[in-house]
Amino acid sequence: MTASSSFSEISTKKIIQMNDVSTSYDSKNYALHGINLSIDKGTNYAIVGPSGSGKSTLLKLMNGMMTPSKGTIKIDYQTPNMNNKKFKIMMHKIGYIPQSLGLIKNISVLENTMIGALPRLGIIQSFLKNFPEEEINEAKRILKLVGLSGKEERKAYMLSGGEKRRVAIARALMQKPTILLADEIVSELDHVTAREIMNLIADAQKQMNLTAIMVHHDMQLALEYANRVAVVKEGQKVLEIGVEGDSIVDFQTGDLTTEEIMEMYSDESKK
Amino acid sequence: MTHIETELFGVAFWSMLETIQMAFIGTIVGVAIAFPLSILSARNLNSKYVYGPVRAILAAIRTFPSILWAMLFVIMVGLGTFAGVLAIIMYTVGFVAKLQYEVIETIDSDPMDAVSSIGVSKWQLIRYVVFPESASHFLSQMLYMFDYNVRQSSILGIVGAGGIGFYIIKHIEFFEYGKATVFMIVVLITVLIIDWGSVKIRDKYIIKSQHGMEVTAK
Ligand SMILES: Nc1ncnc2c1ncn2[C@@H]1O[C@H](COP(=O)(O)OP(=O)(O)O)[C@@H](O)[C@H]1O
Ligand SMILES: [Mg+2]
């Protein structure tokens, strides 16, 4: 295989594919129903929708924390599942930032960041927190990148909301990720800080050829930063659009027909 | 009114010190054994084939009060402080392990999920999430248990398991209430001092770090 053909293969690789995926937390209600999506490597993909529509569940399916009750999911051609050995190794390179960030409050910014490097560390090293020099340097480089230089030794609970998000991003970048999943991490921030954080991720994404899947509450933010935006409502993907600059280049209704979408919206207006 | 024999305070002091030593060693060793057991009993870290049997053993240990453990150990290893220390260890293991697995089970699932989604090993998860997220509770339980074990050790002497209780029961048996009172006063003062000390430590270290947790929870 020549270098150029492998390049074109990589650049169009479908890194995430979901086929008719449904899942539920209890036996009665679907949290997600009949989801189809396909994400190219390197895409900045946004998921938007009202709260309770299934956005967080969608991310948890992508990192193997949940499994679908129906349909198939492939992440880099592997089925995400904690018990799948190949996928477990892939998890090392899937950065996941939950809605509440999941930082460890009583340990330092540096140690929180170092958690992203744990798959690369040995048992004794990680137990004694005896981190190799090059990993410490890498952590410091990333913390500088996210704007936290000089705060390495600060305990996580002492940080502001914006700073906490930067630590969570640093932890994910420390994984040297190929995929970044971020759940509404800028929703609670003010306008300016939210954009600072989004720019930071956009920069890292370009540098690392990262595929980013970010859940947003705010459609505006999604349109501003993403190449593709999926809209989820009541557990179903209602539409997906491609964005280039200020214009919408591709408009697809999702798994619902236009009539079904209209019906959903008119249902809502009746309530 | 009974005459209080103040010249006995020396003996009382030394036997109290022995009692505190028993409680101290028993607490430390008991807590050290309890911690790994609490990890094995936590439902969010293990399958039921692991936590089931470990919990059953812990429950069995807890059915005996420490005085019964003391009697059992006096029979097994003979009279003296060693039997008392063993009794305290058993009691501490049974209780601290239970308190601690309950704490581990209430650890916020978000940091757990965030860190386990990286695909780290279970040891790393314990070291980087379970330890730091439960450390302050663990310290608090250790203090509480030490406090409690000093009181317990003061009566284990009744069954011959060492400590100040031996003198108290001996003097009471011989109707020497004045002498018994001296020992009881020493126990009272010691318990008050330890109580005061643990409040100070709690305020200084534990409340502060738990407050930190609350602040970040928002
Ligand atoms: N742990 C859970 N247990 C039961 N139901 C849940 C749980 N998490 C989410 N759900 C339900 O699943 C649906 C989708 O939730 P979620 O994916 O969190 O939505 P979103 O992130 O869009 O707000 C909602 O109806 C929610 O109530
Ligand atoms: Mg959500």
Side-chain angles (χ1 to χ4, degrees):
Chain A
M1 195 188 286
T2 65
S4 63
S5 79
S6 74
F7 173 74
S8 66
E9 198 179 289
I10 285 169
S11 61
T12 60
K13 191 158 120 182
K14 300 280 181 212
I15 195 157
I16 294 177
Q17 285 181 294
M18 288 196 179
N19 219 317
D20 192 26
V21 166
S22 300
T23 193
S24 56
Y25 290 93
D26 49 54
S27 49
K28 283 184 196 156
N29 307 302
Y30 281 113
L32 287 173
H33 190 66
I35 297 280
N36 290 297
L37 56 81
S38 162
I39 301 175
D40 288 346
K41 191 175 163 67
T43 311
N44 190 338
Y45 196 89
I47 300 167
V48 183
S51 79
S53 57
K55 307 181 295 298
S56 299
T57 307
L58 203 47
L59 289 192
K60 287 182 209 158
L61 286 168
M62 291 177 185
N63 69 3
M65 298 302 283
M66 281 183 72
T67 47
S69 48
K70 186 167 160 270
T72 54
I73 305 178
K74 296 285 176 194
I75 306 294
D76 211 355
Y77 307 106
Q78 288 296 322
T79 303
N81 184 332
M82 296 275 260
N83 302 321
N84 172 350
K85 280 219 173 71
K86 274 190 183 155
F87 186 73
K88 184 122 197 213
I89 291 164
M90 285 176 56
M91 286 168 92
H92 301 168
K93 293 196 169 286
I94 302 177
Y96 169 60
I97 309 175
Q99 205 156 356
S100 56
L101 308 175
L103 298 181
I104 316 299
K105 301 128 190 164
N106 290 317
I107 67 175
S108 70
V109 166
L110 186 74
E111 286 176 346
N112 265 293
T113 306
M114 209 53 98
I115 287 175
L118 287 181
R120 301 194 289 270
L121 301 184
I123 291 184
I124 309 280
Q125 276 178 330
S126 48
F127 203 81
L128 300 177
K129 296 190 172 178
N130 181 16
F131 306 122
E133 191 77 29
E134 69 267 21
E135 294 291 4
I136 293 178
N137 291 338
E138 177 66 2
K140 286 185 173 163
R141 185 186 72 80
I142 289 172
L143 286 170
K144 190 172 173 195
L145 191 81
V146 300
L148 286 174
S149 272
K151 294 193 170 139
E152 291 88 351
E153 296 309 321
R154 201 70 68 92
K155 292 272 195 283
Y157 72 80
M158 296 176 173
L159 303 172
S160 73
E163 287 170 334
K164 281 182 192 149
R165 278 152 181 88
R166 289 168 202 265
V167 179
I169 293 165
R171 179 184 64 199
L173 294 182
M174 195 66 188
Q175 291 175 249
K176 304 185 174 164
T178 50
I179 298 175
L180 177 70
L181 308 171
D183 197 349
E184 289 198 45
I185 61 170
V186 297
S187 298
E188 290 163 29
L189 297 178
D190 61 87
H191 202 77
V192 176
T193 319
R195 271 155 187 80
E196 273 173 24
I197 303 268
M198 286 306 293
N199 289 335
L200 206 128
I201 291 174
D203 289 346
Q205 198 199 359
K206 269 176 226 144
Q207 275 180 32
M208 305 172 80
N209 190 27
L210 201 63
T211 309
I213 294 116
M214 302 192 68
V215 169
H216 289 297
H217 194 70
D218 176 9
M219 183 55 132
Q220 180 59 38
L221 212 58
L223 290 173
E224 229 172 283
Y225 285 92
N227 317 117
R228 294 197 75 78
V229 180
V231 179
V232 186
K233 205 159 185 285
E234 291 173 11
Q236 288 173 295
K237 192 177 96 180
V238 289
L239 50 90
E240 180 170 334
I241 55 185
V243 189
E244 241 169 57
D246 284 338
S247 46
I248 289 171
V249 291
D250 176 22
F251 185 97
Q252 305 170 354
T253 53
D255 306 316
L256 300 180
T257 62
T258 320
E259 289 81 52
E260 281 175 313
I261 295 169
M262 296 316 288
E263 205 170 306
M264 273 172 99
Y265 278 92
S266 63
D267 269 0
E268 182 148 288
S269 57
K270 276 179 220 152
K271 276 174 202 168
Chain B
M1 203 186 125
T2 331
H3 171 64
I4 294 176
E5 304 192 26
T6 45
E7 63 281 5
L8 273 175
F9 271 114
V11 184
F13 177 76
W14 288 111
S15 61
M16 189 69 231
L17 214 61
E18 184 189 71
T19 310
I20 294 173
Q21 273 173 359
M22 283 166 60
F24 187 75
I25 296 169
T27 308
I28 298 284
V29 176
V31 162
I33 298 172
F35 190 70
L37 291 177
S38 71
I39 286 175
L40 291 173
S41 330
R43 279 176 300 187
N44 51 350
L45 294 174
N46 299 281
S47 78
K48 63 171 181 268
Y49 302 105
V50 178
Y51 70 72
V54 181
R55 281 178 177 218
I57 293 168
L58 290 174
I61 291 176
R62 279 197 310 276
T63 54
F64 283 5
S66 48
I67 194 93
L68 273 181
W69 280 115
M71 286 164 79
L72 197 73
F73 284 120
V74 165
I75 294 166
M76 283 164 64
V77 303
L79 292 169
T81 50
F82 186 52
V85 170
L86 290 178
I88 291 166
I89 290 174
M90 291 307 275
Y91 190 80
T92 304
V93 167
F95 261 92
V96 172
K98 181 182 163 70
L99 291 172
Q100 190 61 17
Y101 76 61
E102 282 171 356
V103 169
I104 293 174
E105 285 179 354
T106 55
I107 290 178
D108 193 356
S109 63
D110 289 317
M112 286 279 227
D113 288 352
V115 177
S116 50
S117 79
I118 295 171
V120 302
S121 71
K122 188 138 158 208
W123 286 111
Q124 291 174 326
L125 191 69
I126 290 166
R127 180 70 182 91
Y128 286 83
V129 185
V130 176
F131 269 28
E133 294 277 290
S134 64
S136 73
H137 291 274
F138 197 52
L139 210 73
S140 161
Q141 278 150 23
M142 215 155 114
L143 270 175
Y144 170 82
M145 219 52 217
F146 175 62
D147 191 318
Y148 183 83
N149 283 340
V150 169
R151 296 161 209 240
Q152 288 294 302
S153 313
S154 306
I155 61 158
L156 293 185
I158 292 171
V159 296
I164 200 167
F166 168 74
Y167 295 94
I168 298 176
I169 198 72
K170 189 184 79 177
H171 292 306
I172 289 176
E173 274 173 1
F174 289 94
F175 306 107
E176 295 165 331
Y177 296 121
K179 290 179 180 170
T181 307
V182 171
F183 289 89
M184 278 147 89
I185 288 172
V186 170
V187 172
L188 181 76
I189 292 171
T190 308
V191 166
L192 287 176
I193 291 174
I194 290 174
D195 225 49
W196 174 81
S198 33
V199 168
K200 288 279 159 207
I201 295 175
R202 228 172 277 264
D203 282 354
K204 192 157 178 201
Y205 298 102
I206 297 167
I207 304 287
K208 206 157 98 183
S209 67
Q210 283 176 352
H211 184 66
M213 287 174 162
E214 272 175 30
V215 170
T216 44
K218 281 171 199 162

